[in-house]
Amino acid sequence: MKKQVIIALIFFNYFGAFAQETKAVDFQKEIQPLKEKIHSLQSENNDLKIEISSINSKVATVNQKLEALDQKAQSNASDIQKTNSDLNGKLTNSETATNQKFTKVDNSLSKNSLWSIIGILGAIIVSGLLYWLVSKRQSTDKTDVEAQISKTKKTLEEEGVKLDTKLTEVLETQLKLVQEERARLPANKLEEIDHSLALKVADEIVRLNKNLSNMDINIKGLKQLSASVKRIEDNFAANGYDIPEILNKPFDSRMKMIVANSVPDEKLKDGEEIITKIIKPQVNFKGVMIQSAQVEVSVG
């Protein structure tokens, strides 16, 4: 009986120990992850401590720099205050000196203002007088120049009239000689007549009439020249020649004449053409054209 009891106790002790060992193994398995977690946390904690230590070091450095900047700012504020004080003193002195100068100038102006005004008025009066004298002199000089030009022009025109009068006398004489010579020619020789002199006379008649139309009627000798030109025209016609009047007449392209130049004219209507200048006149002999006109035409 005792052996059975002892065996039973041994058996229970063995199974109890086995059970406890099994529980210990299970516990170790359960606690192992916790240990690893704790180890990881400790490692992270150490890293954090290191990082915090680095941050604290940087913060300390920043604090040192801030303190240095604060000291520099205080020093600058002191310098600014000193400079401001100096400037205020200089401005005060400058204002005092300026006021003194203004007072001095004001006193000087008060004493000399009357003389200055008198001097300015005097200068204005003298300038006006000089301007009036110069303007009058210029006007007189201009009048004298214009009078001289007019006198010179009149003299030249009078000389031109004298020369043209002598020319008309020569042309008149030549036309009379031509007329007498042709009167002696037989009828069958009339076709061989030389018209060169007549054409020159025609050119001179046109030129003389143009000059007469542009001259002052008071020019000395103008009436005598007009009479001479009229006699030449009569002799010219007596020899069988005539100059058709085409100046200021409408131009037609079918006309037998040479257009030397065409000039635009806004006063004319669109497409209108007028003969405004005769360069060479048209000359007819006994109704037959022996020289075509050379003209300038104004075109609208």
Side-chain angles (χ1 to χ4, degrees):
M1 186 68 176
K2 289 181 179 181
K3 288 181 178 181
Q4 293 177 349
V5 172
I6 292 170
I7 292 170
L9 290 172
I10 293 171
F11 179 76
F12 283 119
N13 286 333
Y14 174 77
F15 279 104
F18 180 75
Q20 290 178 354
E21 186 177 355
T22 301
K23 290 181 178 180
V25 171
D26 294 337
F27 181 74
Q28 287 293 333
K29 289 181 178 180
E30 292 178 358
I31 203 172
Q32 186 63 34
L34 293 175
K35 289 180 178 181
E36 292 176 355
K37 186 69 174 177
I38 290 170
H39 181 72
S40 176
L41 290 172
Q42 288 176 346
S43 177
E44 292 178 358
N45 188 30
N46 291 331
D47 293 339
L48 287 173
K49 287 180 179 180
I50 294 170
E51 188 173 354
I52 289 170
S53 177
S54 176
I55 292 172
N56 288 333
S57 177
K58 292 180 180 179
V59 169
T61 302
V62 171
N63 287 332
Q64 291 176 358
K65 291 182 178 180
L66 288 174
E67 290 177 358
L69 289 173
D70 185 46
Q71 292 177 358
K72 189 68 179 287
Q74 291 178 359
S75 177
N76 289 338
S78 177
D79 292 340
I80 290 171
Q81 185 176 3
K82 183 179 178 181
T83 302
N84 189 25
S85 177
D86 293 340
L87 287 174
N88 286 332
K90 290 179 180 180
L91 287 173
T92 302
N93 294 333
S94 177
E95 184 178 2
T96 302
T98 302
N99 289 333
Q100 291 176 353
K101 289 181 180 180
F102 275 127
T103 302
K104 186 177 180 180
V105 171
D106 186 51
N107 292 334
S108 178
L109 289 175
S110 298
K111 294 177 182 179
N112 300 323
S113 58
L114 180 60
W115 292 109
S116 299
I117 293 172
I118 293 173
I120 292 171
L121 290 175
I124 292 173
I125 293 171
V126 172
S127 298
L129 181 61
L130 289 174
Y131 176 77
W132 177 76
L133 291 174
V134 171
S135 298
K136 185 177 180 181
R137 179 61 182 272
Q138 287 179 346
S139 177
T140 303
D141 292 343
K142 183 178 178 181
T143 303
D144 293 342
V145 171
E146 290 177 349
Q148 187 65 33
I149 291 173
S150 179
K151 184 178 179 181
T152 303
K153 181 181 177 182
K154 185 177 181 180
T155 302
L156 291 174
E157 288 179 344
E158 289 177 354
E159 292 298 323
V161 167
K162 290 179 182 179
L163 292 174
D164 286 339
T165 302
K166 291 180 180 180
L167 176 62
T168 57
E169 292 174 357
V170 173
L171 294 176
E172 188 176 2
T173 301
Q174 289 182 343
L175 283 173
K176 287 180 179 180
L177 292 174
V178 169
Q179 188 176 10
E180 293 174 358
E181 183 180 353
R182 288 181 184 176
R184 292 193 295 268
L185 287 175
N188 59 352
K189 296 291 184 178
L190 293 178
E191 295 180 358
E192 300 176 2
I193 293 176
D194 183 10
H195 300 293
S196 57
L197 176 62
L199 297 178
K200 291 180 181 178
V201 172
D203 291 341
E204 291 301 325
I205 289 174
V206 171
R207 182 185 68 82
L208 290 170
N209 282 326
K210 181 179 179 182
N211 290 343
L212 288 171
S213 64
N214 293 328
M215 286 184 183
D216 186 357
I217 58 175
N218 297 319
I219 295 295
K220 185 178 180 180
L222 186 63
K223 292 182 179 180
Q224 182 181 355
L225 178 60
S226 297
S228 298
V229 173
K230 182 66 171 60
R231 287 196 304 270
I232 291 177
E233 291 176 340
D234 293 341
N235 288 333
F236 195 68
N239 281 279
Y241 297 100
D242 70 277
I243 303 173
E245 184 62 40
I246 59 175
L247 186 64
N248 297 323
K249 297 294 180 65
F251 172 76
D252 191 336
S253 59
R254 294 171 295 182
M255 292 178 174
K256 294 180 180 180
M257 60 182 61
I258 300 171
V259 179
N261 193 18
S262 295
V263 180
D265 190 345
E266 296 180 354
K267 296 180 180 179
L268 299 179
K269 297 179 181 179
D270 187 19
E272 186 178 6
E273 296 179 331
I274 301 295
I275 300 171
T276 51
K277 183 178 181 181
I278 298 175
I279 300 171
K280 275 188 172 296
Q282 177 182 335
V283 181
N284 298 334
F285 179 66
K286 293 184 178 181
V288 179
M289 185 174 67
I290 59 175
Q291 175 177 282
S292 60
Q294 188 175 351
V295 299
E296 182 178 284
V297 178
S298 295
V299 181

